[in-house]
Amino acid sequence: MKLWSDSWTNGDRIAAKYAAGRLDDKGSVGFSDNVNPHLAWSELPPGTKSLALICHDFDVPSKGDDVNKADREIPSDLPRVDFFHWLLLDLPPTVTQIAEGEYSRGFTPRGKPGPAAAHGARQGLNDYTGWFAGDAERAGNYFGYDGPFPPFNDSLVHHYVFTLYALGVARLPVEGEFNGAQVRAALAGHVIDAATYSGTYTLNKRLVR
């Protein structure tokens, strides 16, 4: 099973157009184009009845005390947790790629609609749902893809992993407005094979090259 993209080389820096946040020419942080990347796959294993795609960042600070503070950096030894950026389920195995911008173009305050999505698939709630929960202007249910927007003062460059799962069921047994933890639990016992594709991103001006 193979997974690839025309949007960037595996393991390289992700372009700002695929992120939710970016640095402008003056070094200020703001919202970006938030375009979902191109992804394509081949060599699905026999018995594949559906596909699931998860994008997550495993470098998210476990505490928010120092997040986005101009007078300090988030220490690199702070324990990190997962942040889910995309949960796409029930793609039929006849689908062989996702076009750039097919699921997301621009950042939508209060979130894009869901869970229904193209190709009869379903999209879950990404973790911007929790991040913006206390923001009066942006609180809402964030379905589908919303790209990288790491803290501008993080001492770590963040890693974003897209994982495509070939499943032995046509519909993953998770219902309602599901989140990343629920999807991971529901995958148990249904995964035939998996493939990954990754990239990095930072908004820390000291680390941008």
Side-chain angles (χ1 to χ4, degrees), residues 11-91:
D12 281 358
R13 175 175 166 80
I14 298 170
K17 69 181 291 187
Y18 306 113
R22 72 187 309 161
L23 291 171
D24 64 22
D25 294 338
K26 297 180 181 179
S28 297
V29 175
F31 285 101
S32 190
D33 301 320
N34 201 41
V35 173
N36 75 265
H38 163 265
L39 292 166
W41 50 88
S42 64
E43 301 180 23
L44 298 182
T48 300
K49 295 182 179 179
S50 72
L51 302 169
L53 177 69
I54 293 177
C55 174
H56 81 288
D57 169 10
F58 56 77
D59 290 313
V60 174
S62 56
K63 293 182 180 180
D65 302 16
D66 296 324
V67 168
N68 292 333
K69 301 292 177 63
D71 62 341
R72 72 198 77 164
E73 283 196 349
I74 300 168
S76 60
D77 59 355
L78 180 72
R80 305 291 168 140
V81 296
D82 290 337
F83 187 104
F84 292 94
H85 287 265
W86 199 4
L87 303 164
L88 180 62
L89 309 183
D90 306 339
L91 274 174

Side-chain angles (χ1 to χ4, degrees), residues 2 12 21-22 24 37 50 55 58 64 74 76 86 107 113 117 131 138 156-157 161 174 179 183 203-205 208:
K2 296 181 179 179
D12 281 358
R22 72 187 309 161
D24 64 22
S50 72
C55 174
F58 56 77
I74 300 168
S76 60
W86 199 4
F107 187 82
W131 177 254
R138 299 187 179 94
L156 289 184
V157 173
V161 181
V174 60
N179 60 31
V183 170
L203 293 176
N204 187 329
K205 289 179 283 186
V208 173

Side-chain angles (χ1 to χ4, degrees), residues 6 24 30 45 54-55 78 111 121 127-129 146 152 158:
D6 293 336
D24 64 22
I54 293 177
C55 174
L78 180 72
D127 282 340
Y128 286 107
T129 302
D146 286 305
F152 66 75
H158 285 222

